[in-house]
Amino acid sequence: MQLPDQPVLRDIVLVGGGHSHVGVLKHFGMHPLPGVRLTLICRDTHTPYSGMLPGYIAGHYSYDDVHIDLSRLAQFAGARFFRDEAVGLDLGAGRVRCRDRPPVPYDRLSINIGSTPQMSHVAGAAEHAVPVKPINGFDARWRSLLERVRNHAGATRIAVVGGGAGGVELTLAMQYRLRGELRARGRDPDELRFHLLTDDADILPTHNASVRRAFARVLAGRGVEVHRGAEVIEVSAARLRTAGGQTVDADEIVWVTRAGSAPWLRDSGLALDADGFIQVSDTLQSVADSNVFAAGDIASMVNYPLEKAGVFAVRQGPPLAQNLRRCVEGRALKAYRPQRRWLALISTGDRFAVASRGALGFEGAWVWRWKDWIDRRFMAKFSQLPAMASAAPVAPSPVKLDQEEAAQAVSAIAMRCGGCGAKVGATVLARALDALRPVERDDVLIGLHAPDDAAVVRVPKGRAMVHTVDFFRAIVDDPYVFGKIAANHALGDIFAMGAEAQSATAIITVPAGLESKVEDVLFQMMSGAVAILNDAGCALVGGHTGEGRELALGFAINGLVDEDGASVMRKSGMRPGDALILTKPIGTGTLFAAHARLAARGRWIDAALVSMCQSNRLAAQCLRAHGATACTDLTGFGLLGHLVEMTRPSGVDAELNLAALPVLEGAEETSAAGIVSSLQPANVRLRRALRNQQDAVRHPRYPLIFDPQTAGGLLASIPADRVEACLGALHASGYGHAAVIGRVLNKGDALAPIFLVLD
Ligand SMILES: Cc1cc2nc3c(=O)[nH]c(=O)nc-3n(C[C@H](O)[C@H](O)[C@H](O)COP(=O)(O)OP(=O)(O)OC[C@H]3O[C@@H](n4cnc5c(N)ncnc54)[C@H](O)[C@@H]3O)c2cc1C
């Protein structure tokens, strides 16, 4: 989470993490533009580099060798990363519609979403063929194909449809890999039969004759049957039929034909070419809307028709970054002229490649090594990121503003310099909150539906109130996700008590800025929070919003329990012999500390966010139903701190099994690297509660028992005879990581109450 001192004046939203946008992110990371906020919306966190994909399939590269980590790159660039899928545009309002979150407003928009398979025109293709596009999803499809071939007894016939560079490379890479796989299993690699079908008169139609000859030779030498002029018109479970009436039997069918455009663009209002790709001028701006840019496969340059190839997407990155920059600065844009000829290095799977440029063609193992060097150097630009600069001083923004915006910007800067505490304007607040739909409850007499000075809620007869409050600064720069996490974190106390959540009031600080930007951050954040509160049946009834340097959110939450207190789960009820259950994995503290230092992989952060966004509501119900004797939610004190908070009032000791702890992926790596949350040192003081601390100190999981959690799981003691059923019910309710992590012991003579089991 970075803290720019300059208020946000312009939003550049990048949709899709393709080959051009990774260049844009790197550019803005190296040369930030004060006052400009970048937001990347992408459905994937790890985006594949197409040039190395065949090498990955052949088995020469690992997953991380060929994927760019967008979460890390966005963090480096100071960009917000919204992991979501764009499903529409509202050009008039300047908003991107997303699948799983409120629309995202932009001042300038850039689209780099690649292409999608064109299969719908061939009967049966969508059901029976494995499409290579979109390439981001190909990894999962490839791995399941690999598994099927490994398990397929006897001969396996594989047909690849598409004779361009992608189809040819893929055929040879798959063949190389699969033959190796069969050999390693003691099977005959000749069990594999490959067919390559193209509707063109020859393979590689956009390359010169010597390159085509080279590949014809390689394919023939490797026993691949090439079907030229073979337009596939029908696909069934294990068979292809061509327009010429030929049939080809195949156990696996891979589709690598010319790709199409995203269907949702049709209704976007952007000008599209005949194939549905966005028509752009030489400045990469949409010819229909100069605030919208497009690059890579999805763009169609009206003056320079280009092949759909990653090489152009990469090349368009720098001019796109420059023009986005110039556009917000109000400067003239520069035309981009793609090269007429370009170098293609096409591999044959076995660490050999053919170079093709215009009429030139040459080949060799050295060409592969050259390609490997170029590709690795390209990837290093995005994996070996320079250390991030510490907070930059306030620099004047070159963004061009109108008079009203300039006045708002001046007052926002004054506000930041003067500290915090001012109230957000009533109009901004009203507009931001207007679209929220908090759940309505009969016991809320006066709430947001009829706002007043304060909310009035009724305590139903026979029930007592449970009060709790939590407040913390944004640990992620996606306000929608942060809203969800903050609400979950606050609700944790209510559920841990075995209570029903009734009503919530919010306390918010939001950095000052242009009204429209403040309004949107409030709206996004509170939409996330309300989604979680509504799911818990908890009505948002009011709140207070002030301006401050950092985005922060907290809630005072009221819950209800039966007046007799019978259903309350307290910390103090642990009984010797009970089993300890933890419902969610730990590790959020170290992971987010690592994220801030660019030391966490994007998929680790994704998994941590999913865990933090998961409510404890169902877990609490499960624990209660299985006779939980004590319960608490894991937050800032870490696992050990919260466990001691339970053992002490319960008058018991406990045994904690380190090997059994559910741990978020990556947390062991980041804590082993010495990366811990700033709260950890205070938690470590509690090591005196450990009976065998000296023996445990070198255990890889030892640091994690001190790791502070955000929106962590529930820690509960369950009677031993019910623990198995409880665990099964937790798993069935979606808490897949829930585990028995120890047991409750009689209070012993030792001063230290906790014994760690190390293996
Ligand atoms: C097997 C194979 C090998 C190839 N080899 C080469 C090669 O060696 N050299 C070469 O130049 N080209 C190659 N290509 C072509 C190349 O893959 C494409 O031209 C290239 O990937 C296009 O890049 P892009 O930046 O336009 O989009 P992509 O690389 O496809 O990236 C698009 C990104 O946008 C995201 N996205 C898509 N839709 C949405 C949405 N609605 N909302 C949010 N995010 C979205 C995706 O998740 C992805 O991260 C190959 C193709 C294949 C199939």
Side-chain angles (χ1 to χ4, degrees):
M1 188 70 202
Q2 282 187 304
L3 273 184
D5 277 313
Q6 176 76 51
V8 177
L9 305 173
R10 288 289 178 265
D11 272 303
I12 296 179
V13 173
L14 309 175
V15 172
H19 296 62
S20 316
H21 280 171
V22 294
V24 171
L25 287 166
K26 181 75 189 279
H27 169 94
F28 277 92
M30 301 298 287
H31 313 284
L33 193 53
V36 173
R37 176 169 62 189
L38 251 65
T39 303
L40 171 67
I41 302 172
C42 191
R43 61 184 175 204
D44 297 288
T45 299
H46 296 266
T47 198
Y49 168 47
S50 62
M52 290 172 92
L53 214 54
Y56 169 65
I57 288 161
H60 305 316
Y61 303 121
S62 70
Y63 180 90
D64 286 318
D65 285 339
V66 306
H67 285 83
I68 296 169
D69 187 334
L70 294 173
S71 161
R72 206 170 149 255
L73 183 60
Q75 177 79 3
F76 166 76
R80 304 187 299 180
F81 178 40
F82 294 179
R83 190 173 169 204
D84 209 321
E85 182 177 2
V87 294
L89 292 181
D90 183 349
L91 291 183
R95 286 172 192 275
V96 180
R97 285 200 293 274
C98 295
R99 188 170 296 286
D100 291 318
R101 59 179 306 128
V104 179
Y106 63 82
D107 297 297
R108 302 289 182 275
L109 173 69
S110 179
I111 304 176
N112 176 212
I113 56 171
S115 35
T116 49
Q118 258 182 339
M119 304 171 93
S120 54
H121 61 295
V122 178
E127 294 85 352
H128 303 293
V130 176
V132 169
K133 295 277 182 168
I135 57 170
N136 56 300
F138 183 64
D139 178 54
R141 298 192 289 275
W142 160 242
R143 277 185 286 149
S144 57
L145 186 149
L146 199 61
E147 212 40 46
R148 287 197 300 275
V149 174
R150 281 173 183 151
N151 298 326
H152 189 267
T156 307
R157 299 148 305 176
I158 298 173
V160 176
V161 181
V168 170
E169 267 195 301
L170 196 72
T171 304
L172 293 168
M174 286 201 302
Q175 190 199 42
Y176 178 83
R177 173 70 176 275
L178 293 173
R179 284 178 69 87
E181 293 278 336
L182 291 197
R183 230 179 271 120
R185 283 168 171 69
R187 288 171 55 187
D188 180 5
D190 289 338
E191 285 175 3
L192 291 167
R193 301 294 312 162
F194 273 86
H195 295 268
L196 177 64
L197 296 98
T198 173
D199 57 355
D200 282 308
D202 202 353
I203 54 165
L204 299 163
T206 57
H207 294 268
N208 66 57
S210 74
V211 171
R212 288 203 295 273
R213 273 197 305 276
F215 274 97
R217 190 195 73 232
V218 172
L219 289 162
R222 304 251 294 259
V224 176
E225 205 171 317
V226 180
H227 306 262
R228 295 174 172 83
E231 185 195 350
V232 176
I233 54 162
E234 195 184 317
V235 182
S236 53
R239 178 165 292 181
L240 297 169
R241 202 161 60 79
T242 70
Q246 186 194 3
T247 55
V248 175
D249 292 335
D251 303 295
E252 296 289 345
I253 299 161
V254 182
W255 208 259
V256 203
T257 60
R258 225 161 69 85
S261 163
W264 58 265
L265 285 172
R266 270 184 239 132
D267 308 318
S268 67
L270 292 173
L272 308 179
D273 71 9
D275 294 319
F277 294 104
I278 304 168
Q279 289 187 303
V280 295
S281 64
D282 298 357
T283 53
L284 301 174
Q285 281 168 299
S286 155
V287 296
D289 184 335
S290 59
N291 286 330
V292 180
F293 293 71
D297 278 10
I298 199 63
S300 167
M301 292 192 74
V302 288
N303 294 326
Y304 301 96
L306 295 173
E307 220 179 286
K308 301 292 179 205
V311 61
F312 294 115
V314 170
R315 295 248 169 95
Q316 287 170 349
L320 176 63
Q322 283 297 343
N323 278 345
L324 285 168
R325 207 179 173 92
R326 285 171 168 268
C327 198
V328 289
E329 289 175 357
R331 290 194 288 148
L333 305 200
K334 280 193 169 168
Y336 161 69
R337 283 188 186 78
Q339 284 175 298
R340 264 192 334 117
R341 296 188 202 296
W342 75 97
L343 176 72
L345 301 173
I346 311 168
S347 57
T348 60
D350 50 356
R351 293 199 163 90
F352 189 93
V354 179
S356 165
R357 187 172 196 275
L360 279 179
F362 44 92
E363 60 188 271
W366 70 271
V367 181
W368 154 265
R369 286 196 296 276
W370 182 32
K371 172 176 166 51
D372 177 60
W373 178 78
I374 293 174
D375 289 340
R376 285 186 191 273
R377 202 176 55 148
F378 174 79
M379 288 300 286
K381 284 194 214 162
F382 302 103
S383 55
Q384 294 164 22
L385 298 168
M388 285 163 69
S390 48
V394 184
S397 171
V399 169
K400 209 168 168 210
L401 301 173
D402 64 29
Q403 234 179 358
E404 170 60 28
E405 288 175 326
Q408 289 181 19
V410 168
S411 95
I413 291 171
M415 184 70 67
R416 284 184 185 215
C417 300
C420 60
K423 254 179 113 152
V424 167
T427 332
V428 170
L429 200 57
R431 278 198 308 247
L433 302 183
D434 199 39
L436 300 179
R437 295 284 168 269
V439 73
E440 288 183 21
R441 291 179 59 111
D442 292 344
D443 49 8
V444 174
L445 306 179
I446 298 177
L448 273 190
H449 57 284
D452 215 306
D453 292 329
V456 179
V457 294
R458 192 178 50 226
V459 184
K461 208 165 183 299
R463 312 220 64 193
M465 297 217 81
V466 180
H467 298 278
T468 179
V469 64
D470 253 309
F471 180 75
F472 65 104
R473 30 193 266 258
I475 56 161
V476 287
D477 44 22
D478 178 339
Y480 180 69
V481 171
F482 173 56
K484 285 185 164 193
I485 293 171
N488 248 339
H489 189 86
L491 284 165
D493 286 330
I494 296 287
F495 296 135
M497 293 297 289
E500 172 201 346
Q502 184 202 36
S503 59
T505 41
I507 176 92
I508 305 167
T509 59
V510 60
L514 298 190
E515 286 182 4
S516 59
K517 310 291 175 196
V518 173
E519 180 185 323
D520 181 59
V521 166
L522 273 173
F523 171 63
Q524 299 272 342
M525 183 168 74
M526 292 313 294
S527 297
V530 166
I532 294 291
L533 293 171
N534 282 0
D535 175 62
C538 181
L540 179 70
V541 292
H544 174 87
T545 311
E547 285 178 336
R549 192 156 177 273
E550 293 181 72
L551 187 65
L553 175 62
F555 294 93
I557 300 195
N558 299 325
L560 297 171
V561 285
D562 290 341
E563 209 169 35
D564 60 11
S567 59
V568 172
M569 296 194 288
R570 305 201 52 189
K571 291 180 187 172
S572 56
M574 285 178 144
R575 288 180 322 204
D578 286 348
L580 289 176
I581 282 192
L582 179 61
T583 61
K584 287 200 216 175
I586 54 173
T588 58
T590 174
L591 282 172
F592 280 89
H595 184 48
R597 289 161 61 170
L598 306 179
R601 292 195 193 283
R603 56 179 175 274
W604 299 347
I605 297 302
D606 283 352
L609 290 174
V610 168
S611 180
M612 291 192 286
C613 288
Q614 186 180 24
S615 165
N616 283 330
R617 182 170 63 90
L618 296 177
Q621 282 173 11
C622 236
L623 296 169
R624 243 176 55 188
H626 290 86
T629 52
C631 185
T632 192
D633 62 323
L634 283 204
T635 52
F637 299 146
L639 176 60
L640 182 66
H642 289 288
L643 179 59
V644 170
E645 281 198 340
M646 296 172 86
T647 54
R648 205 175 279 152
S650 302
V652 294
D653 289 351
E655 188 179 87
L656 200 57
N657 184 348
L658 291 183
L661 297 183
V663 171
L664 285 164
E665 191 194 351
E668 279 189 43
E669 282 92 329
T670 52
S671 65
I675 304 172
V676 294
S677 153
S678 56
L679 292 180
Q680 177 126 341
N683 291 350
V684 169
R685 284 193 212 125
L686 204 65
R687 63 184 180 277
R688 62 177 183 275
L690 298 172
R691 213 174 289 164
N692 55 340
Q693 188 254 343
Q694 281 308 321
D695 304 333
V697 79
R698 274 183 230 300
H699 195 287
R701 289 181 163 193
Y702 173 75
L704 292 171
I705 63 174
F706 304 104
D707 187 63
Q709 303 305 294
T710 302
L714 298 178
L715 174 63
S717 52
I718 300 284
D721 59 341
R722 303 189 68 181
V723 71
E724 222 165 282
C726 180
L727 204 55
L730 283 168
H731 291 165
S733 303
Y735 302 91
H737 293 272
V740 176
I741 61 164
R743 61 196 177 107
V744 180
L745 307 174
N746 280 314
K747 178 107 198 86
D749 297 334
L751 276 179
I754 310 297
F755 179 76
L756 294 178
V757 178
L758 305 180
D759 46 38

